[in-house]
Amino acid sequence: MAATLAGVVSFTVISRKLSDDALGAWALLGAAAFLIGLADMGLTAVVQRATVAKDDARARRVLSLSLFVLAVLLPVASIISYLFLIDMDGAGPELRDEIRVAAIIVLVAGMVMGWFGPYRGYVFAKGGVREVARARTAGAVAQLIVTLAWFQFSSSLIVPSTGLLVSYIVEAVITLRAARALDKDIPLKPAWTKDILERKASFKVGAAALAINLAVATALRVDLFVLSSVATLALVGQYGVAGRAVDLAYLLAKQATVALMPSLGDPEHRARAVRIGTLVFSGVVLSGMTALSFDGQALLIGWVGHVAEGHVPAIVLAVLGAAAMIMSLYEVSSSMVALGGRTGWEGAIPIIVGSITNLVISIGLAWKYGIWAVALSTVGGNAITGVLMWRRARILLGWSFSRLFSVLTPSFLVLLASCVVGYSLRAFSLHGTWQSIVACSVTMLCGCLVVALFLRRGYRMQEAS
C-alpha cells in the first residue's frame, strides 16, 4: 500500500507536468514495459510451486531455466515493442524525438523488471512478503524523488521514464539481496535444464500461469494500444487517467485478500472463506467504485489536473468502475479455484475466455465506436469471466444455485444502497475537490455499513445455531 500511495503522488506530478499528448504516450510506454515482463513464459509460477513444496533443488533449476528463457525472449520482445512505440500516430516532431529516447529507457526498465521477476516470485514463496514490500516501497520512493527533482528542470517524457528505470533497479537490487539471504545457492546465471521430462513439465505448468498473465495484460494494457490506433494521444491520456484511478483503487482493496489464502486452500474452510470474503471484498469495491463513478470526477481533476475534465473521463471512469465491480464479485472465488482446482487451467480458462471476449469486442468495434467500444469491452469480458468462474467455483464447493444466489444477494444490496446515496450526492460533488471527497466518503461509508450489517446478521445466526 505504501508503494501504491507513492505511485499515486508520482502520477499526480507526471499528469500535471506532461502535455495531453505526452501523457497519452506515457500510458503506452508504461503498458509496453509491463507487457515485456511476461517473457518468462509463466515459469515464475513454477519456481513458486517448487519452493512451496520445499523442493529447493528443483526451484533453483527452474529459476535458471526461466533466466534462460528471459535472456532469449526479453531482447526480442523489446525490439518489437520499440518499433511499435516509435510510430505513434498523432505525435508531433518534438514529441516523437522524446518518444525515441524514452522508449529505450522504458524498455530497459521493463527488461530489468522481467529479469528479476523469478527472484521476486521466489522470495514471495519463501514467505518474504516483508522483503518484497520493502523493495517495492523503496523503488516507488526512488521513482518519486527522481521524478520530482528532474521535473524542476525539464518537462520531457524522458523524466518519468528515467524515474521508472531507477525504481525498477532499486527494487531489483533489494529483491536479489533478499533472495540471496534466503538461499545463498540461488542461481545467478541462466541454464537450460538437461532433464527433458522436467523441462516439459515446467513449461506445461507455466503455460497456465502465462495464459492468466496474458489475459490480465489484455484487459489492463492491450486496450490502450487498440485505442491508440483509432484515437488521438490526448484521448488515450484521458482514458489512461480514468483507468489509472480505477486500477489504483482496486489494487488497494485487493491487498486484503492475501489474508484469505490459507482458508481458500483448505477444503474444510474454503466455503466460509468464499462467502465472507466475497461479501467483504466485493462490498468495499462496489461501494468505492460507485462513489468514484457518481461523485469522483472532481476528485480525479484535483488529482491529475485538467486532463480529467469533460464528459469523456467521467464516462470512462463510470464504465471501467463498473468493470471493476463485476471483477470484485468473483475475485475471491477465482483465488479459491486457482488454489483448490485440480490444475491451474481450471482458474485460467474463465479468465482467458473473458479476455478473448474483451479483445474481440475492442478490436472489432473500436474502428466504429472508438473509446466507448474499448471501455465497454472490459465490462463484457469481466462479465463472461464472472459467469464461468462462478460456475467452476459452485461445482468445486458443491453449492446449489439457490446457495450461490444467497451468497451474492448481499453484494447486490450493497450496490443498490451505494447507488442511491452516490446519485443523490452527485450535484454536491461537482462543486469542488473537497465536496467530491466528502460525497465519495459518505457513499462508500453507507455501502460498508450494509456490509457490516450482513456480517453481524451472519454471526448472530452462527451463535443461534
Side-chain angles (χ1 to χ4, degrees), residues 287-309:
S287 55
M289 292 300 171
T290 301
L292 279 179
S293 300
F294 283 117
D295 310 316
Q297 187 175 17
L299 174 59
L300 186 61
I301 294 171
W303 177 37
V304 299
H306 71 89
V307 71
E309 295 175 350

Side-chain angles (χ1 to χ4, degrees), residues 120-340:
R120 187 183 305 109
Y122 177 80
V123 175
F124 251 131
K126 277 285 189 180
V129 178
R130 289 179 181 272
E131 287 74 13
V132 174
R134 192 175 295 117
R136 287 181 172 173
T137 303
V141 172
Q143 180 183 11
L144 179 60
I145 293 172
V146 171
T147 303
L148 280 173
W150 199 347
F151 264 141
Q152 302 303 313
F153 307 99
S154 172
S155 296
S156 167
L157 195 58
I158 297 171
V159 176
S161 302
T162 304
L164 184 69
L165 176 59
V166 171
S167 170
Y168 285 164
I169 290 174
V170 170
E171 182 179 340
V173 169
I174 297 175
T175 301
L176 181 59
R177 289 182 60 185
R180 295 281 290 174
L182 291 168
D183 183 0
K184 61 182 179 61
D185 296 322
I186 197 168
L188 301 176
K189 297 179 181 180
W192 186 251
T193 305
K194 295 180 180 180
D195 189 329
I196 298 177
L197 294 178
E198 183 176 85
R199 190 168 65 236
K200 287 184 176 179
S202 296
F203 280 113
K204 183 177 179 181
V205 174
L210 176 63
I212 293 176
N213 291 338
L214 287 173
V216 172
T218 298
L220 299 180
R221 300 294 189 273
V222 175
D223 277 353
L224 286 172
F225 292 103
V226 175
L227 181 60
S228 69
S229 66
V230 297
T232 64
L233 284 175
L235 198 60
V236 173
Q238 289 184 310
Y239 184 95
V241 296
R244 186 70 169 164
V246 172
D247 287 347
L248 287 173
Y250 193 90
L251 182 62
L252 285 171
K254 188 176 179 179
Q255 307 307 311
T257 62
V258 176
L260 288 172
M261 291 300 174
S263 297
L264 292 173
D266 187 344
E268 291 186 13
H269 300 103
R270 63 189 179 196
R272 183 174 184 275
V274 169
R275 179 174 60 83
I276 299 295
T278 297
L279 170 59
V280 175
F281 179 71
S282 67
V284 170
V285 174
L286 288 169
S287 55
M289 292 300 171
T290 301
L292 279 179
S293 300
F294 283 117
D295 310 316
Q297 187 175 17
L299 174 59
L300 186 61
I301 294 171
W303 177 37
V304 299
H306 71 89
V307 71
E309 295 175 350
H311 70 282
V312 171
I315 297 176
V316 172
L317 186 66
V319 173
L320 294 183
M325 293 181 205
I326 295 171
M327 188 185 298
S328 72
L329 291 171
Y330 65 81
E331 181 74 47
V332 175
S333 62
S334 175
S335 298
M336 187 275 296
V337 172
L339 293 169

Side-chain angles (χ1 to χ4, degrees), residues 343-365:
T343 69
W345 286 104
E346 290 192 32
I349 290 175
I351 297 174
I352 294 169
V353 174
S355 296
I356 291 174
T357 303
N358 181 343
L359 203 57
V360 169
I361 296 173
S362 184
I363 294 175
L365 299 178

